[in-house]
Amino acid sequence: MSISSSRGLPWALIGAACLGSFAATSSGTTRAPFLLEMSHDLDVSMPLVANLVSLTATAWGLTSALGGWMSDVIGRRPILIAAPLALALTLVAQAAAGSFFWVGVWAALSGGCAGAFTGVIFAEVSSHVHDSQRGRALGWVMSGQSLTLVVGVPMAAAVGSVFGWRGWLLCVAGLSIAAVISLFLTVGRGSAGHTRAAGTRPSLRAALSRRVLGLLGTGVAERICYGLAVVYFATFMQVTYHMTLIELAIPLAVFALGNIAGTVLGGQLADRLRDRLLTFAVAMALSGVAALVLFTWHPGPAVSVAVGFVYVLLNALGRPSYMASLASVPEDVRGTVLGLNGTSASVGWIGAAALGAVMIGSAGFEGFGPLIALLALLGAGGALLSRRSRA
């Protein structure tokens, strides 16, 4: 595939990628405001509805690896158009479901469609930019996911207050259809796979080099660190400062803005600093220090929100460097590698939910700081070791 020599980024493709990423992430994340409403509507307990997150994450991880591999076999364009289209259909079916069982089935399928899309879109954007621009391009795509917390959840609450959780699912389905149209117009027909020699397949052994395996393991540690804060930050603020849901609105918005700011700034650093994995390692180590402060020092809500902003900003700061390093693999296995990144991220999210529950039951939120700091140092160490692995 030809890569444009222009210094400008492929903004049309990046915009379509952001829209698709926003729709994919919103299909599950924006369920949060409706847990009580869904439990009453479907006549089940709220914890059971909350477990849809784990179900979605599991399906996401499984199909992310499969979708990435398939994109290296048949090309990325079919996956990037079919996955969001199927996502829209599963969301409509979920909105029409009359029982929790069928909501769970369609939610799992929705997560699978979203997972099949995300790794492949990262691979597609990576292939359209020079390595010197890859950090910024991927940073912008990741910001599309981050906008779900800042825009998607409040929008879901607003729309849901009028049309209910089922109406919001139909809105996300509409966004997914809009993504299909934009991707159809922006993704080239020669998006990998078609140039492969007849009868050949991408080599999993070639994709899973020691360097890639090390980075995937590092990615699990980083996602656990991020997930522990994202999943439990609101609960931490409620328990520590006895805040109501209304009072949490501003802290959660500030927290989400820190993620977006870190992602955008991190994209700039990834392209300006030569050693991307060193950049990632330093950001991870500093985020570990911020986590220690966040969960062990409680002078007041304003200070905790400010420290939370710094923590999530530092965590996001290294993510574009990590993704750009992971994307620096041969074109014929890039989809497979970035698809596996989605799988490792899902493992991290599931691990964060489990470890957080265990920690709350034993040491409480005071234990979150040391746990995140330890995992951050392990992630930083893994990144530094991966700098030396080339095969």
Side-chain angles (χ1 to χ4, degrees):
M1 148 171 259
S2 62
I3 300 176
S4 173
S5 60
S6 171
R7 295 182 61 187
L9 294 173
W11 289 112
L13 175 60
I14 290 174
C18 286
L19 179 59
S21 297
F22 180 81
T25 309
S26 294
S27 66
T29 304
T30 55
R31 191 183 296 118
F34 306 120
L35 296 183
L36 282 174
E37 182 185 347
M38 291 179 70
S39 67
H40 293 153
D41 188 356
L42 301 171
D43 195 24
V44 295
S45 66
M46 188 183 71
L48 190 59
V49 177
N51 281 333
L52 290 174
V53 174
S54 296
L55 186 65
T56 301
T58 301
W60 187 304
L62 291 173
T63 57
S64 182
L66 178 61
W69 181 80
M70 285 296 297
S71 74
D72 287 337
V73 176
I74 65 174
R76 298 185 191 119
R77 181 179 167 88
I79 304 294
L80 292 176
I81 293 174
L85 178 59
L87 174 62
L89 295 176
T90 58
L91 289 170
V92 171
Q94 190 179 160
S99 67
F100 177 78
F101 173 80
W102 285 110
V103 168
V105 169
W106 292 115
L109 291 174
S110 295
C113 294
F117 172 82
T118 49
V120 180
I121 193 60
F122 280 123
E124 179 67 8
V125 172
S126 296
S127 297
H128 281 270
V129 296
H130 293 286
D131 183 69
S132 61
Q133 297 175 311
R134 195 164 283 157
R136 280 169 288 172
L138 296 180
W140 281 111
V141 177
M142 282 184 275
S143 70
Q145 296 176 321
S146 301
L147 280 172
T148 305
L149 296 176
V150 180
V151 178
V153 174
M155 186 186 299
V159 173
S161 66
V162 179
F163 299 104
W165 65 275
R166 298 177 188 273
W168 170 247
L169 287 178
L170 295 178
C171 291
V172 179
L175 287 175
S176 193
I177 293 296
V180 172
I181 296 172
S182 61
L183 289 163
F184 180 84
L185 296 174
T186 56
V187 176
R189 296 184 183 277
S191 57
H194 80 294
T195 57
R196 192 181 307 283
T200 64
R201 292 290 183 271
S203 169
L204 191 61
R205 182 176 181 180
L208 297 180
S209 64
R210 285 180 295 172
R211 182 174 184 272
V212 168
L213 286 173
L215 287 174
L216 291 174
T218 296
V220 172
E222 184 273 333
R223 286 291 90 178
I224 293 178
C225 291
Y226 178 71
L228 281 169
V230 169
V231 172
Y232 293 104
F233 180 72
T235 306
F236 162 74
M237 295 295 291
Q238 286 176 308
V239 170
T240 305
Y241 299 111
H242 308 289
M243 300 181 73
T244 65
L245 287 175
I246 295 177
E247 291 172 334
L248 279 173
I250 293 178
L252 292 178
V254 172
F255 190 84
L257 287 172
N259 188 51
I260 294 177
T263 300
V264 174
L265 180 58
Q268 296 290 330
L269 292 179
D271 291 341
R272 294 177 184 276
L273 301 178
R274 178 174 299 179
D275 196 331
R276 286 170 172 161
L277 288 180
L278 179 60
T279 301
F280 172 78
V282 171
M284 283 297 294
L286 291 175
S287 73
V289 175
L292 278 173
V293 176
L294 174 63
F295 290 105
T296 58
W297 185 47
H298 315 135
V303 174
S304 289
V305 171
V307 177
F309 175 88
V310 172
Y311 167 74
V312 75
L313 183 145
L314 289 170
N315 179 277
L317 201 65
R319 188 71 181 172
S321 292
Y322 168 82
M323 290 295 293
S325 298
L326 197 59
S328 297
V329 294
E331 172 72 16
D332 61 347
V333 296
R334 185 173 288 139
T336 301
V337 170
L338 292 177
L340 287 169
N341 173 68
T343 302
S344 69
S346 294
V347 172
W349 277 101
I350 295 171
L355 284 174
V358 171
M359 188 60 66
I360 290 174
S362 55
F365 283 109
E366 296 291 330
F368 272 50
L371 175 61
I372 293 176
L374 175 61
L375 289 169
L377 289 177
L378 289 175
L384 294 177
L385 290 174
S386 298
R387 295 165 69 210
R388 302 178 182 180
S389 300
R390 302 299 178 190

Coordinates of all heavy atoms in Angstrom, one line a residue, residues 41-42 90-107 165-166 169:
D41 N -36.4 -2.5 34.4 CA -37.1 -2.8 33.2 C -37.0 -4.3 32.9 O -38.0 -5.0 32.5 CB -36.4 -2.1 32.0 CG -37.2 -2.2 30.7 OD1 -38.2 -3.0 30.7 OD2 -36.8 -1.6 29.7
L42 N -35.8 -4.9 33.2 CA -35.6 -6.3 32.9 C -35.9 -7.3 34.1 O -35.7 -8.5 34.0 CB -34.2 -6.5 32.4 CG -33.8 -5.7 31.1 CD1 -32.3 -5.8 30.8 CD2 -34.6 -6.2 29.9
T90 N -26.8 -5.2 16.0 CA -26.9 -5.8 17.3 C -27.4 -4.8 18.4 O -28.1 -5.2 19.3 CB -25.5 -6.3 17.8 OG1 -24.5 -5.3 17.8 CG2 -25.0 -7.5 16.9
L91 N -27.1 -3.6 18.2 CA -27.6 -2.5 19.1 C -29.1 -2.4 18.9 O -29.9 -2.2 19.9 CB -26.9 -1.2 18.9 CG -25.5 -1.1 19.3 CD1 -24.8 0.2 18.8 CD2 -25.4 -1.2 20.8
V92 N -29.6 -2.4 17.7 CA -31.1 -2.4 17.5 C -31.7 -3.6 18.1 O -32.8 -3.5 18.8 CB -31.4 -2.3 16.0 CG1 -32.9 -2.5 15.7 CG2 -30.9 -1.0 15.4
A93 N -31.1 -4.8 17.9 CA -31.7 -6.0 18.5 C -31.7 -5.9 20.0 O -32.6 -6.4 20.7 CB -30.9 -7.2 18.0
Q94 N -30.6 -5.4 20.6 CA -30.5 -5.2 22.0 C -31.6 -4.3 22.6 O -32.2 -4.5 23.6 CB -29.1 -4.7 22.4 CG -28.8 -4.7 23.9 CD -27.4 -4.2 24.2 OE1 -27.1 -3.8 25.3 NE2 -26.5 -4.2 23.2
A95 N -31.9 -3.2 21.8 CA -32.9 -2.3 22.2 C -34.3 -2.9 22.2 O -35.2 -2.5 23.0 CB -32.9 -1.0 21.3
A96 N -34.5 -3.9 21.3 CA -35.8 -4.6 21.2 C -35.9 -5.8 22.1 O -37.0 -6.4 22.2 CB -36.0 -5.0 19.7
A97 N -34.8 -6.2 22.8 CA -34.9 -7.4 23.6 C -35.8 -7.3 24.7 O -35.9 -6.2 25.4 CB -33.5 -7.7 24.1
G98 N -36.6 -8.4 25.0 CA -37.5 -8.3 26.1 C -37.1 -8.9 27.4 O -37.8 -8.9 28.4
S99 N -35.9 -9.6 27.4 CA -35.5 -10.2 28.6 C -34.0 -10.0 28.8 O -33.3 -9.6 27.8 CB -35.7 -11.8 28.5 OG -34.9 -12.3 27.5
F100 N -33.5 -10.2 30.0 CA -32.1 -9.9 30.3 C -31.2 -10.9 29.5 O -30.1 -10.6 29.1 CB -31.8 -10.1 31.8 CG -30.3 -9.9 32.1 CD1 -29.7 -8.7 32.2 CD2 -29.5 -11.0 32.4 CE1 -28.4 -8.5 32.4 CE2 -28.2 -10.9 32.6 CZ -27.6 -9.6 32.7
F101 N -31.7 -12.1 29.3 CA -30.9 -13.1 28.6 C -30.6 -12.6 27.2 O -29.4 -12.7 26.8 CB -31.7 -14.5 28.5 CG -31.0 -15.5 27.6 CD1 -29.9 -16.2 28.0 CD2 -31.5 -15.6 26.3 CE1 -29.3 -17.2 27.2 CE2 -30.8 -16.6 25.4 CZ -29.8 -17.3 25.9
W102 N -31.6 -12.1 26.5 CA -31.3 -11.7 25.1 C -30.6 -10.3 25.1 O -29.8 -10.1 24.2 CB -32.6 -11.6 24.4 CG -33.1 -12.9 24.0 CD1 -34.2 -13.6 24.5 CD2 -32.5 -13.8 23.0 NE1 -34.3 -14.8 23.9 CE2 -33.3 -15.0 23.0 CE3 -31.4 -13.7 22.2 CZ2 -33.0 -16.0 22.2 CZ3 -31.1 -14.8 21.4 CH2 -31.9 -15.9 21.3
V103 N -30.8 -9.5 26.1 CA -29.9 -8.3 26.2 C -28.5 -8.7 26.4 O -27.6 -8.2 25.7 CB -30.3 -7.4 27.4 CG1 -29.3 -6.4 27.7 CG2 -31.7 -6.8 27.1
G104 N -28.2 -9.8 27.2 CA -26.8 -10.2 27.4 C -26.3 -10.8 26.1 O -25.1 -10.6 25.8
V105 N -27.1 -11.6 25.4 CA -26.6 -12.2 24.1 C -26.2 -11.1 23.1 O -25.1 -11.1 22.5 CB -27.7 -13.1 23.5 CG1 -27.3 -13.5 22.1 CG2 -27.9 -14.3 24.3
W106 N -27.1 -10.1 22.9 CA -26.8 -9.0 22.0 C -25.7 -8.1 22.4 O -25.0 -7.6 21.6 CB -28.1 -8.3 21.6 CG -29.1 -9.1 20.9 CD1 -30.4 -9.5 21.3 CD2 -29.0 -9.6 19.6 NE1 -31.0 -10.2 20.4 CE2 -30.2 -10.4 19.3 CE3 -28.0 -9.6 18.6 CZ2 -30.4 -11.0 18.1 CZ3 -28.1 -10.3 17.4 CH2 -29.3 -11.0 17.2
A107 N -25.6 -7.9 23.8 CA -24.5 -7.1 24.3 C -23.2 -7.7 24.0 O -22.2 -7.1 23.7 CB -24.7 -6.8 25.8
W165 N -33.1 3.9 28.0 CA -31.9 3.2 27.6 C -32.0 2.6 26.3 O -31.1 2.5 25.5 CB -31.5 2.2 28.7 CG -32.4 1.0 28.8 CD1 -33.5 1.0 29.6 CD2 -32.3 -0.3 28.2 NE1 -34.1 -0.3 29.5 CE2 -33.4 -1.0 28.7 CE3 -31.4 -0.8 27.3 CZ2 -33.6 -2.4 28.3 CZ3 -31.6 -2.1 26.9 CH2 -32.7 -2.9 27.4
R166 N -33.2 2.2 25.9 CA -33.5 1.6 24.6 C -33.3 2.6 23.5 O -32.7 2.4 22.4 CB -34.8 0.9 24.5 CG -35.0 -0.3 25.5 CD -36.4 -0.9 25.5 NE -36.6 -1.8 26.5 CZ -36.3 -3.1 26.5 NH1 -35.8 -3.6 25.4 NH2 -36.6 -3.9 27.5
L169 N -29.7 3.3 22.8 CA -29.0 2.3 22.0 C -29.3 2.5 20.5 O -28.4 2.3 19.7 CB -29.5 0.9 22.4 CG -29.0 0.4 23.8 CD1 -29.6 -1.0 24.1 CD2 -27.5 0.3 23.8

